Each structure stands twice: as C-alpha cells, then as structure tokens.
Amino acid sequence: MTRLTSAITGYWDDAAGAFDDEPDHGLRAAGTRAAWDRLLRAWAPAGPADVLDVGCGTGSLSSLLAAAGHRVTGVDLAPRMIERARAKLAGAGLTGRFLVGDATAPPTGDERFDLVLCRHLLWTLPDPHAALRAWVARLRPGGRLLLIEGRWGEGGPYVGGAETLPWNGGVTAGDLTAAVRPLVRDLRVEPLSGDPGLWGGPVGDERYALIAEV
Ligand SMILES: C[S@@+](CC[C@H](N)C(=O)[O-])C[C@H]1O[C@@H](n2cnc3c(N)ncnc32)[C@H](O)[C@@H]1O
C-alpha cells in the first residue's frame, strides 16, 4: 500500500462513525431514502442481478439494492466502513457480502457482475482510468456501469498528497464521459443537481449519474 493509499484508508476509517450523519450518506430521512431507491430501481437491471458496489462506504446504496432483491457485493478500502455496511444490512434483515479491498482491483477473483456501481469514489482514486477499465472488465456482456459522481471543488482538508489525485475535487460529466466512452458500447448522463430530495437540500455544484452499457 502506498503512503497516499494508507492515508486515505485512515481518513475513511476515522470518518466511518459519523459518515451516515450526512443526509445523502445515511439516507435516514424517508424522503431521501425513497428518492435514491426510485433512481436505483430505474437504473439497475431487471430481476435479481449481481451487483458490485465499489467504495461502498457504510453500504447505504448496497442496502437499497439488496432490498430490491439484488445480490450485492460491496468493496471498500476502510475496514470500519465495511464493518458498518455489514451491520447495516444485517440490522435490516438483508443479505450482502462486504469485502475490504481496493476498488481498482476488487478482491472478487474472476467473478462477473451485471451492474458495477460507484458513488462519490472516483475523485479519491490515484488512478481512476485504471479503475474504470477494471470495472468494465468485471461486467458480463450486456452489463451496466453506474457512476454517480460530481464536481464539487476542493472542499475541506483531506489527506496529504490529495492534490496529486487526478480528479481531486470531483470530475465533470464531460471529462468522465470522455474517459468512459472508449470503454463501452453506449452511455448517457442524467443530471442530479436539480433534485434537492437526493441531497437533503439544494446543491449548487455539478452532480450526475453516468449510466453505461458494455
Ligand atoms: C465519499 S465515500 C462514498 C461511500 C459510498 N459510495 C456512498 O456513496 O455512500 C468514499 C468511500 O470510498 C472509499 N474508498 C476510498 N478509496 C478507495 C479505494 N481505493 N478502494 C475502495 N474504496 C475506497 C472510502 O473508504 C469511502 O468509504
């Protein structure tokens, strides 16, 4: 593990305890949870699908997908995030598999998935282009890549060395489209900034979902 990756792991381990206090993280308000549930049901493939949630954090989106009947695997670098994801699904009577690991090389062997999902992860990856290639390679033919991302600008203090991250502060839909298009058969972008119900209030920055078919 590089010094930067080790710092990122420590940051998120420390953040795990309070992570769900943010409305769009914990999805504790019924309206926020329902707004994400509606979108995920629209974006996910029909029927029980094998889903890989990379950088799953405390498992909030994994939990919605498991409740919708999908078989979910979550991967996160931070062991404390994984502990919370396991507890969240178990507490809700849901089944999911959660693994500590790097999203750029998910520890899932040669398994293939129908949907690879990532929310708010690409900005903190040292090599996001390698991660995108790895995720497409994990998809079955006809599988779907769902990237929920944004460009929110450099916010508060993160970790030393964060300024070297290629997409520190987020990635615009235009830049992410340019990176993903050569890897997939088709893609579309749905803007998400205009729906305050997703975020717990109005937001002024660029947020979107990129949905790609391989
Ligand atoms: C902003 S949080 C998003 C969590 C979750 N996807 C969500 O939307 O609630 C970023 C997550 O990515 C994880 N993470 C950061 N770098 C990672 C990496 N290289 N591999 C796997 N997970 C990583 C962090 O531990 C943290 O849980």
Side-chain angles (χ1 to χ4, degrees):
M1 194 181 280
T2 66
R3 188 180 301 180
L4 178 56
T5 302
S6 169
I8 289 171
T9 305
Y11 177 93
W12 290 107
D13 259 343
D14 290 347
F19 187 79
D20 278 355
D21 294 349
E22 290 293 324
D24 57 323
H25 293 173
L27 312 183
R28 288 172 174 149
T32 312
R33 192 170 175 81
W36 282 101
D37 188 46
R38 178 176 46 80
L39 285 179
L40 288 175
R41 285 177 190 266
W43 290 326
D50 292 312
V51 177
L52 178 62
D53 182 1
V54 280
C56 62
T58 58
S60 292
L61 298 190
S62 289
S63 153
L64 290 176
L65 288 160
H70 301 297
R71 296 176 290 270
V72 179
T73 300
V75 171
D76 201 285
L77 209 49
R80 286 190 201 141
M81 288 288 190
I82 288 295
E83 278 168 24
R84 283 172 188 275
R86 286 179 180 143
K88 182 174 289 179
L89 269 77
L94 297 168
T95 305
R97 176 177 58 155
F98 292 95
L99 307 170
V100 174
D102 192 332
T104 307
T108 49
D110 57 7
E111 283 178 58
R112 294 293 175 267
F113 297 86
D114 304 302
L115 176 70
V116 175
L117 154 73
C118 117
R119 183 176 77 160
H120 300 170
L121 169 68
L122 283 164
W123 65 277
T124 185
L125 294 182
D127 191 345
H129 295 278
L132 292 169
R133 289 192 298 273
W135 300 343
V136 167
R138 304 298 173 116
L139 284 167
R140 296 192 173 110
R144 194 169 294 170
L145 183 64
L146 170 56
L147 308 172
I148 302 164
E149 291 294 340
R151 171 72 196 164
W152 33 85
E154 289 81 17
Y158 189 36
V159 298
E163 64 285 353
T164 66
L165 296 168
W167 286 340
N168 186 32
V171 55
T172 64
D175 285 348
L176 188 55
T177 296
V180 173
R181 196 180 290 289
L183 306 176
V184 301
R185 182 168 55 79
D186 197 17
L187 69 78
R188 71 181 195 278
V189 171
E190 294 187 15
L192 301 178
S193 303
D195 184 351
L198 292 172
W199 312 110
V203 296
D205 45 20
E206 182 185 7
R207 302 184 191 199
Y208 58 90
L210 185 155
I211 304 108
E213 317 283 340
V214 302

